[in-house]
Amino acid sequence: MAVNPHSLRSQATRSPERILREIQSNLLECKVCFEIFNPAGQSERRPQNLPCGHVLCLDCIGALSHPVLKKLECPFCRQLCDVDSTSHCHALGDLQELLLNSKVGVPSYGAKALHVFGSLQLCSAFGGWGTLFNPTGIAVLGTSGTMVVVHDGDTRLVVFGPQGRRLHGFGRRGDICYPLDVAVTPNGHVVVTDAGDKSLKVFTSRGCHVLTLTDVFQLPWGVDVDMRGNILVSDSQTGILSRVTLDCVLGVILDHQTPITDLEHPRAVACCQVTGATAVVEHLLFDESHPTWNHRPARLRVYDQYFSLLYQKDSFSLSLGSTAWLCMSAVAFEGDGNVIIIDSKQAMIWKLHKGNKLTPLISENLVRPVGLICTAKDSTLTVLDSGDHAVKIYSFR
């Protein structure tokens, strides 16, 4: 049986310390409030088994359950559970006690904790199940640090303040069917790709509908705004990157062009506001007969401001200089023009220096990162983690 050498190298780099940290972030914290379980006595953070098999802390079970009916809907599988049928999760309690009493320390992790990964510090996290549901895209509103996130809630867009406080939401479930990505124009309008009705939708920052562009896309996916305020949209079905110019005040389309037409299932799109470059992540066809392809291959293409190809890298070429097979899923630009790559499958974030040198930025305490914001002004990296239904903010300082 053929063995994937990239998979072996990836497993070899998982040190005992890293495995312990992954156990803590994936098993020993409540995925609703992000607090560490405390199995002692009647603690409000004691891990409790739901009848469906999922585990929450005692406090979150109380907060989510009906005060009279004593029932709650599991936030993960939506099964209706009786509060009286919950039980203490002895396995997680014993595991936590074993790790805490071992000589190898497990660092604490939570929404208010501080960690250092190289030059990055995890400063805070917010959101969580109940506030965000399977989020898929994030963008920043102007220079204030206000963020907008698209997700699967009743209101498809949620606006957060710079400190993580939920300000408001808009875009009802019927008005936006299946949002995939979001971007913000220089004048503060919010742009959403909706795969449900194959459209591009524009709103004001307060949620007033401006316009909907239909009958143009077959599967609109990634969206971003270039340095001139034009909207770039990838169509994963047709392999086209569109450039749309809008007058958001009048609510009209001024121009629609297709500068790139030879892409293969393009997904994520990012524009550099300094150099004008555009990066696109393509999901290539998966050859199940290939003995080393245990993951779907992807390709990164980077173009200059005139859409001339600067360079391209696929999963195989990037993995040659790395210890892991990269599963590129999203992309962003740093202020200096370097590309940052999100690997949702391995829960890692990488930096690609000048199109050649690849270095890991974050490899811990992420579950399924799907989007990020690079803010050069205050040297922060904001990561949208769909696995935790949360926004996590890291600092380079």
Side-chain angles (χ1 to χ4, degrees), residues 130-200:
T131 302
L132 294 175
F133 300 88
N134 303 318
T136 54
I138 186 171
V140 63
L141 278 163
T143 59
S144 65
T146 303
M147 290 165 277
V148 57
V149 178
V150 290
H151 71 137
D152 194 30
D154 290 332
T155 54
R156 299 303 209 184
L157 294 102
V158 182
V159 179
F160 295 97
Q163 305 305 318
R165 184 171 68 90
R166 187 185 188 279
L167 301 180
H168 62 93
F170 60 90
R172 294 178 301 176
R173 184 183 292 269
D175 297 332
I176 301 178
C177 305
Y178 190 67
L180 291 179
D181 202 4
V182 62
V184 177
T185 66
N187 57 7
H189 285 82
V190 179
V191 185
V192 182
T193 51
D194 190 343
D197 59 6
K198 305 175 182 179
S199 68
L200 183 73

Side-chain angles (χ1 to χ4, degrees), residues 179-360:
L180 291 179
D181 202 4
V182 62
V184 177
T185 66
N187 57 7
H189 285 82
V190 179
V191 185
V192 182
T193 51
D194 190 343
D197 59 6
K198 305 175 182 179
S199 68
L200 183 73
K201 296 175 179 175
V202 183
F203 302 85
T204 67
S205 60
R206 298 299 303 177
C208 297
H209 179 260
V210 175
L211 64 88
T212 296
L213 180 59
T214 58
D215 301 324
V216 173
F217 309 104
Q218 292 189 25
L219 184 55
W221 200 289
V223 62
D224 203 357
V225 178
D226 67 16
M227 59 193 303
R228 297 179 180 86
N230 301 308
I231 300 170
L232 299 184
V233 184
S234 66
D235 191 322
S236 186
Q237 187 70 30
T238 63
I240 292 175
L241 183 73
S242 294
R243 181 173 62 188
V244 182
T245 305
L246 304 176
D247 187 328
C248 294
V249 177
L250 298 177
V252 296
I253 301 169
L254 301 179
D255 190 25
H256 175 222
Q257 300 180 8
T258 54
I260 305 175
T261 59
D262 62 343
L263 298 170
E264 185 174 338
H265 301 293
R267 300 287 181 87
V269 177
C271 302
C272 181
Q273 301 303 313
V274 177
T275 65
T278 299
V280 182
V281 174
E282 303 169 279
H283 282 212
L284 308 180
L285 294 177
F286 184 69
D287 185 0
E288 296 182 355
S289 65
H290 198 289
T292 63
W293 284 11
N294 289 341
H295 307 296
R296 177 179 291 277
R299 180 169 57 208
L300 170 69
R301 288 191 181 186
V302 179
Y303 302 84
D304 65 15
Q305 60 180 316
Y306 305 108
F307 297 102
S308 296
L309 185 64
L310 295 175
Y311 62 88
Q312 65 181 32
K313 298 284 185 178
D314 58 25
S315 299
F316 178 75
S317 62
L318 286 174
S319 300
L320 289 176
S322 173
T323 58
W325 178 277
L326 265 69
C327 302
M328 294 180 284
S329 52
V331 66
F333 280 99
E334 270 193 326
D336 57 6
N338 286 319
V339 173
I340 296 182
I341 300 170
I342 295 179
D343 185 340
S344 295
K345 189 173 184 64
Q346 296 184 97
M348 295 184 66
I349 296 179
W350 304 79
K351 180 176 181 178
L352 184 61
H353 299 263
K354 298 180 179 179
N356 294 308
K357 183 181 177 182
L358 190 70
T359 58

